[in-house]
Amino acid sequence: MQIEVKDVCYTYTPEAEQPKFAVDHVSFSVEEGEFIALIGHTGSGKSTLIQFLDGLLKPTSGEVLFHGENVAAKGYDLKTLRQKVGLVFQYPEYQLFETTVLKDVCYGPKNMGLPKEEQEARAKEALSLVRFPEASYEKSPFDLSGGRKRRAAIAGILAMKPEVLILDEPTAGLDPEGREDILNVCRNLNDQGITVILVSHSMEDVAEYAKRILVMNQGKLIYDAPPEKVFSDWRKLEEIGLSAPEVTYVMEGLRKAGFDVRTDVFTVEKAKEEILRVFGK
Amino acid sequence: MIRDITLGQYYEADSVIHRLDPRVKLAFTVIYIVSLYVGEGVLAFALAASFLAVIIILSKVPVSFMLRGLKSIFILMIISVIFNLFLTQGEEIFHWWIFRITKEGIRIAVRMVIRLILLIMGTSIMTLTTTPSRLTDGLEKAFGFLKIFHVPVHAVAMMMSIALRFIPILIEEVNKIMKAQQARGADFENGGLIKKAKAMIPLLIPLFVSAFRRADDLANAMEARCYHGGDDRTKLHPLKYRKRDAIAYLVLFAYLAAIILLRIFTSELIKIVP
């Protein structure tokens, strides 16, 4: 098992008499090569939870194990952990600081103590992974468009060659094309064996790519199941301020109108097949 | 860790002092400082201390909170005591090697300590019981007369309140950027001075960029809502003197008068008993 989260709690106000838990007794584990989506309403504890996995926050109680070792233990090599578990924060473009894109992407490898040639080789590889145009490598990161900034920032994490990639709302504020691009990059990386954890509240993003969904609500993990299972409970999702993908509602509607379609369908592609199956008879 | 920094140490409570007009508290601060330097002798300090004690009790701010402010000037106090104690010329009462303590030295040192303690506690009353926004409102009104001399009072007050508002935002931003760079292997804790200073670059540049971006956004948002400076601008909560403010002014001037009278009296006494 790659990552194990065991009964983790976290509170921002530990001194309060009845502390409010941002993360409340959460347990789950992650196998190598999985594509997991973590969804939940704003303030449900998703962003706090992912910071444990990178050792940026220490849980108030409970353990986080990476390859069987407790990451909060004294003397645990956090630098290596942060290299192996790449965490892309929300709006990662706000952390760009170098004079050129290439130099900025080199920052991670440089902190790992790699020789200069290796740094650049990795940076270029990472930039090509996110399909960043080579002509702009020497441009200032502050002169790029929003979507390109985002890609450059993600490359900054990829250049460290992480085993696990965690992205917090990577598509927030992007146009549909930029969104598609970023999600495709995630899928390609996952195909290469990298574990991907995608934090999102866009059900469409999640439905199309993730094979397992974790749902958080008020600090608690309330679902840990494949998408079919989670989305078939769309009433419950709506109760906690989320929703199922649009397609699921279309299928529900068709069923109500008397057509014998399956309702556990949540991607446009699958829905097309299902509708053709029923109507094509 | 950065979260712990507090500025404008406002203490939330519901008290008469909290409800007073900020201009009254401003006047109190000025008058209190003056009174501490006008006042001479045990009686004047006793009066100043008890006046302050009454205000502290009325303000419902815990004493421990007030004492916290003293911590920061503790070293300054020690240094000034040592200098005054050993370097004042006069009637010698203690002598060892090159150290000599004089009667005058002790007197000045004690006076200094009392003054400093009362000064710090007295001036912190204002910031403890007034929210930063009320404070800037008060300052704007109190210094409004400077407009005649073309001092942009409103603009300065607006800048002050925006600056205060931005402090928590920027602190949060620092936290965020710090974490993001740590995720890229940045190390802000280890290494020598130069290495540490260099490690700050990836933190400071994004911080400046975002501060400018926010400032731009705010300026646009203000203009979009027709902000055009101080002229003819009305307030949601205009400052208005009430009865309690008048009473507070009366008490305040009575206190100042008492201090001045005491000063005149004690100097008479000193003339009699040199």
Side-chain angles (χ1 to χ4, degrees):
Chain A
M1 229 164 304
Q2 203 170 18
I3 299 173
E4 261 187 285
V5 175
K6 284 184 177 172
D7 203 28
V8 159
C9 291
Y10 189 80
T11 170
Y12 286 99
T13 51
E15 55 298 303
E17 265 175 49
Q18 268 180 331
K20 201 179 167 296
F21 286 103
V23 173
D24 197 352
H25 297 283
V26 169
S27 304
F28 64 94
S29 58
V30 179
E31 301 280 355
E32 246 151 283
E34 276 195 284
F35 196 126
I36 299 176
L38 177 58
I39 61 177
H41 205 256
T42 316
S44 63
K46 312 170 282 194
S47 299
T48 311
L49 185 62
I50 56 171
Q51 288 180 44
F52 298 142
L53 309 182
D54 207 24
L56 285 168
L57 277 181
K58 284 193 169 62
T60 312
S61 68
E63 291 186 322
V64 177
L65 308 181
F66 183 64
H67 289 300
E69 279 182 80
N70 188 348
V71 303
K74 249 199 170 153
Y76 186 86
D77 185 2
L78 283 174
K79 223 168 174 175
T80 311
L81 173 74
R82 286 172 191 161
Q83 178 249 309
K84 290 198 169 142
V85 180
L87 176 54
V88 179
F89 276 93
Q90 208 170 357
Y91 298 108
E93 56 272 28
Y94 293 162
Q95 75 208 32
L96 300 169
F97 70 98
E98 271 289 7
T99 46
T100 70
V101 172
L102 193 64
K103 272 193 200 163
D104 199 277
V105 179
C106 281
Y107 180 65
K110 196 168 121 199
N111 285 329
M112 289 164 64
L114 296 172
K116 198 149 179 34
E117 304 81 62
E118 174 76 13
Q119 288 173 23
E120 282 200 6
R122 280 190 175 208
K124 283 179 180 157
E125 195 190 328
L127 282 166
S128 74
L129 273 177
V130 295
R131 294 198 293 121
F132 190 89
E134 209 170 327
S136 300
Y137 281 8
E138 295 299 324
K139 268 197 187 162
S140 161
F142 299 107
D143 291 341
L144 302 172
S145 70
R148 283 200 182 157
K149 271 187 195 167
R150 179 85 46 103
R151 275 189 265 170
I154 293 176
I157 297 290
L158 292 178
M160 300 196 293
K161 297 204 170 162
E163 290 173 23
V164 182
L165 184 65
I166 306 169
L167 303 107
D168 192 354
E169 303 271 3
T171 59
L174 290 186
D175 54 23
E177 202 190 329
R179 170 185 162 262
E180 200 75 15
D181 270 354
I182 298 283
L183 290 172
N184 276 328
V185 168
C186 293
R187 178 140 66 185
N188 288 340
L189 289 166
N190 185 242
D191 288 342
Q192 291 169 31
I194 294 176
T195 310
V196 175
I197 301 176
L198 183 70
V199 180
S200 181
H201 51 221
S202 155
M203 297 307 130
E204 268 67 29
D205 291 4
V206 166
E208 217 163 313
Y209 298 90
K211 293 180 191 81
R212 181 179 155 202
I213 298 182
L214 306 177
V215 184
M216 296 275 292
N217 184 38
Q218 296 185 332
K220 289 195 172 73
L221 185 64
I222 56 167
Y223 277 104
D224 179 354
E228 315 74 88
K229 171 85 185 51
V230 173
F231 290 137
S232 65
D233 252 0
W234 54 272
R235 280 182 194 86
K236 172 92 184 174
L237 286 179
E238 281 180 354
E239 263 171 45
I240 60 167
L242 297 169
S243 65
E246 292 290 331
V247 172
T248 309
Y249 293 108
V250 171
M251 301 308 267
E252 280 290 334
L254 282 172
R255 193 173 181 97
K256 254 188 207 152
F259 298 101
D260 185 28
V261 291
R262 280 167 45 208
T263 51
D264 58 344
V265 170
F266 42 84
T267 63
V268 176
E269 202 53 40
K270 286 261 178 64
K272 190 181 96 186
E273 280 170 28
E274 183 63 15
I275 291 169
L276 282 177
R277 185 183 67 79
V278 172
F279 285 81
K281 271 190 232 167
Chain B
M1 51 189 203
I2 287 178
R3 213 179 279 261
D4 300 333
I5 300 171
T6 49
L7 266 151
Q9 30 159 6
Y10 177 65
Y11 182 86
E12 178 95 52
D14 184 27
S15 78
V16 193
I17 306 290
H18 281 76
R19 280 192 299 263
L20 279 180
D21 191 288
R23 284 168 291 179
V24 178
K25 287 183 259 188
L26 212 62
F28 160 77
T29 307
V30 175
I31 287 178
Y32 197 72
I33 294 172
V34 170
S35 79
L36 286 178
Y37 285 90
V38 170
E40 282 292 348
V42 185
L43 270 176
F45 284 132
L47 178 62
S50 36
F51 186 56
L52 186 63
V54 170
I55 289 171
I56 292 174
I57 292 166
L58 282 177
S59 75
K60 293 185 187 162
V61 178
V63 181
S64 63
F65 223 82
M66 305 278 323
L67 295 176
R68 209 175 293 169
L70 289 178
K71 253 192 233 161
S72 54
I73 57 142
F74 189 70
I75 292 178
L76 183 80
M77 225 148 69
I78 294 281
I79 292 172
S80 62
V81 163
I82 288 172
F83 272 92
N84 280 304
L85 208 53
F86 292 109
L87 296 176
T88 312
Q89 302 293 327
E91 194 183 327
E92 197 175 291
I93 50 168
F94 176 83
H95 190 172
W96 178 74
W97 193 32
I98 54 163
F99 300 108
R100 65 178 82 238
I101 295 178
T102 62
K103 215 172 171 181
E104 283 74 11
I106 294 176
R107 187 183 290 162
I108 292 177
V110 169
R111 200 180 333 173
M112 181 78 111
V113 168
I114 293 174
R115 258 188 196 146
L116 270 176
I117 290 175
L118 292 178
L119 188 75
I120 296 294
M121 288 174 86
T123 46
S124 62
I125 281 284
M126 184 172 68
T127 47
L128 280 167
T129 61
T130 321
T131 58
S133 64
R134 293 252 303 162
L135 193 59
T136 38
D137 269 5
L139 284 170
E140 185 181 347
K141 204 85 187 251
F143 289 100
F145 68 91
L146 287 175
K147 271 183 210 150
I148 309 165
F149 307 108
H150 297 288
V151 178
V153 180
H154 171 79
V156 172
M158 186 53 106
M159 280 194 271
M160 253 178 77
S161 51
I162 291 175
L164 284 169
R165 182 64 196 86
F166 262 54
I167 290 168
I169 294 177
L170 290 182
I171 288 173
E172 200 176 303
E173 195 84 21
V174 167
N175 267 328
K176 255 192 217 159
I177 299 168
M178 226 166 156
K179 277 184 177 161
Q181 304 298 25
Q182 274 174 335
R184 295 210 274 167
D187 185 353
F188 296 110
E189 275 125 42
N190 301 317
L193 195 65
I194 293 176
K195 210 180 154 205
K196 263 190 188 164
K198 265 191 170 168
M200 282 294 141
I201 295 172
L203 181 62
L204 289 178
I205 290 177
L207 183 65
F208 272 105
V209 171
S210 102
F212 280 115
R213 192 186 58 240
R214 278 179 194 280
D216 260 345
D217 289 352
L218 181 66
N220 283 334
M222 283 167 79
E223 275 191 345
R225 282 181 276 173
C226 304
Y227 178 79
H228 57 84
D231 300 331
D232 310 323
R233 196 174 147 77
T234 54
K235 293 222 183 264
L236 182 59
H237 303 291
L239 288 178
K240 237 194 206 148
Y241 282 127
R242 282 161 212 279
K243 209 173 156 194
R244 57 168 173 264
D245 298 313
I247 296 169
Y249 271 128
L250 273 179
V251 174
L252 204 51
F253 285 114
Y255 162 75
L256 186 64
I259 288 282
I260 292 171
L261 283 177
L262 265 175
R263 166 74 182 240
I264 295 165
F265 257 108
T266 40
S267 49
E268 292 291 318
L269 280 176
I270 285 165
K271 265 180 216 156
I272 301 162
V273 193

